[in-house]
Amino acid sequence: MRVLFSGYRDYNHSSAGGYDKIIGYPGGDYISDKDVPLGFLPLGKRGKGLNLLFLDIYTHILRRKYDIIHLFYGDTIILPYYKSRSHKVVATVHLSIADKQNHHINFINVLKCLDGVIVLSSQQEKILKEEYNIEAKFIPHGFLKPIFDLISFPEFEDVFSANKINVFYSGSNYRDVKLFIETVVYCNNHHLNIFFHVVGQKENIEQQLRHLDNVACYRRLSDNEYFSVLSLCDYNYLPLTFATANNALLEAQFLGVRGIYPYIAGIEDYAAPEPLNLFYKTKQELFSIFENISKVENSSLLLMEYSEKFLWENVYNKLSDYYKGLFLHY
């Protein structure tokens, strides 16, 4: 079966993360934003939408040469793909469907033109089926076990104490920043033996934290620095308002770092259950967790074993079965 993957690399992700690792699917071909005009533009910059439109057009031109065309960042689809008996077009949707529909009024109609829609959480599958009559399929985000050199660097050496409970926090997408800041302030005011290591935040967020003595904010870190900090922390704290696949969660589990997560739809698709991870439903439950957590002596081998279900090689098998099934419907 000839498969063409069309999409791009999100360089906000670490080398282990990023959905573009899907292109490792055995025998698959790949075209990216770099293969069309304006490919030098990074995500978020003016003109990137035009670059992705060119990619969409190029994918339309090439699609009849393949059995399966997989638009693996389907949130950027602009042009409809009309159905054919000779080939099938699939898209993976990453973001909240509600957010996308409000942003792009034709997005749902474009999805309905596709032969298949993959989503990254069981909640998204249910919403698309029940509210939009789209036969979406939940197939988990794959991941690679992080490979890195354990290193130290001045910013980290100056603040890290093995005697404290070290908590890691990173990323920005769907983060409950207000709750995160409240948590840091709460731990500081109650003199808890907890120190927060904060990565990848905007300047305005860092400014709200700088006056506190139980937190350090880091510049953009290399992979070796990033994974070294994460692996040496006792917990990964991830307050979220919405969740599908979360790279920060998967990174932590692959390294055996226990997580503190909200008990919301989407999290349970990826997070190992208690006691491997800790979960909260209310702010009071969250603060109680921080009041009672203790140092973690070793990485959790059980968390690492649990993570193996998300290895890309296992996800490739699920994708293969899904692709074959698309041809049984016609």
Side-chain angles (χ1 to χ4, degrees):
M1 181 176 291
R2 297 165 300 169
V3 181
L4 174 68
F5 294 98
S6 175
Y8 52 86
R9 169 71 180 168
D10 185 345
Y11 289 97
N12 289 318
H13 295 142
S14 69
S15 59
Y19 197 71
D20 62 301
K21 295 295 191 298
I22 196 172
I23 67 175
Y25 181 90
D29 291 337
Y30 172 45
I31 57 171
S32 80
D33 55 336
K34 307 298 184 187
D35 298 317
V36 295
L38 303 179
F40 61 89
L41 292 171
L43 291 174
K45 293 296 184 181
R46 176 177 290 185
K48 191 61 181 180
L50 187 58
N51 168 239
L52 296 177
L53 175 60
F54 288 145
L55 177 60
D56 220 0
I57 294 171
Y58 190 31
T59 306
H60 272 77
I61 293 171
L62 294 179
R63 64 187 179 132
R64 298 188 186 281
K65 297 181 179 180
Y66 293 87
D67 302 302
I68 296 289
I69 297 85
H70 192 150
L71 314 167
F72 59 83
Y73 273 112
D75 307 88
T76 63
I77 296 175
I78 299 172
L79 303 175
Y81 286 79
Y82 296 107
K83 295 180 180 180
S84 167
R85 290 183 178 274
S86 64
H87 63 272
K88 307 301 175 187
V89 182
V90 178
T92 299
V93 176
H94 296 248
L95 303 179
S96 165
I97 297 300
D99 290 351
K100 286 301 300 178
Q101 190 183 25
N102 292 335
H103 177 68
H104 180 2
I105 195 168
N106 294 316
F107 185 66
I108 294 298
N109 291 331
V110 171
L111 290 185
K112 288 182 176 179
C113 293
L114 301 174
D115 298 287
V117 175
I118 293 173
V119 290
L120 300 177
S121 80
S122 55
Q123 179 202 30
Q124 290 284 76
E125 178 184 81
K126 182 178 180 181
I127 290 173
L128 277 170
K129 287 180 178 179
E130 295 182 357
E131 297 185 20
Y132 301 103
N133 197 30
I134 294 175
E135 281 299 313
K137 174 68 173 177
F138 166 45
I139 298 179
H141 192 310
F143 212 75
L144 298 175
K145 182 176 177 60
I147 299 175
F148 64 99
D149 294 322
L150 185 64
I151 64 172
S152 187
F153 53 98
E155 290 173 87
F156 184 57
E157 288 178 350
D158 290 343
V159 297
F160 181 78
S161 171
N163 295 322
K164 291 184 178 293
I165 299 171
N166 292 281
V167 177
F168 188 84
Y169 174 85
S170 69
S172 59
N173 201 25
Y174 294 116
R175 299 305 192 269
D176 191 336
V177 176
K178 181 176 181 293
L179 180 59
F180 171 68
I181 294 174
E182 287 182 12
T183 305
V184 178
V185 170
Y186 181 88
C187 292
N188 187 68
N189 291 345
H190 287 75
H191 306 290
L192 301 181
N193 188 36
I194 295 173
F195 194 90
F196 294 87
H197 300 266
V198 179
V199 181
Q201 304 307 301
K202 294 180 179 179
E203 177 66 23
N204 66 314
I205 297 172
E206 291 187 6
Q207 287 179 351
Q208 297 178 65
L209 297 170
R210 282 176 182 153
H211 70 284
L212 301 169
D213 57 13
N214 64 336
V215 59
C217 297
Y218 301 94
R219 56 178 168 75
R220 183 172 179 83
L221 300 179
S222 68
D223 276 357
N224 284 340
E225 292 169 335
Y226 179 91
F227 288 124
S228 293
V229 176
L230 175 55
S231 65
L232 290 171
C233 282
D234 299 285
Y235 298 91
N236 177 46
Y237 176 34
L238 193 59
L240 295 169
T241 58
F242 171 82
T244 57
N246 188 285
N247 281 270
L249 186 157
L250 290 166
E251 287 165 346
Q253 290 194 155
F254 267 80
L255 294 177
V257 177
R258 201 174 182 190
I260 301 171
Y261 304 127
Y263 195 76
I264 60 175
I267 286 290
E268 60 262 44
D269 291 319
Y270 295 91
E274 289 189 353
L276 297 180
N277 289 307
L278 304 175
F279 300 91
Y280 64 90
K281 293 182 180 178
T282 66
K283 186 190 300 186
Q284 289 69 33
E285 290 180 358
L286 173 63
F287 289 170
S288 178
I289 288 174
F290 277 99
E291 288 172 353
N292 292 286
I293 56 174
S294 57
K295 286 288 294 180
V296 176
E297 297 302 323
N298 297 296
S299 301
S300 170
L301 295 179
L302 290 177
L303 262 181
M304 294 180 185
E305 291 174 4
Y306 183 89
S307 297
E308 291 181 0
K309 67 168 70 176
F310 302 113
L311 287 170
W312 270 115
E313 60 192 65
N314 295 326
V315 175
Y316 293 150
N317 293 331
K318 295 179 184 293
L319 287 169
S320 179
D321 291 341
Y322 180 70
Y323 296 154
K324 293 173 184 176
L326 294 175
F327 287 93
L328 300 178
H329 298 159
Y330 299 96

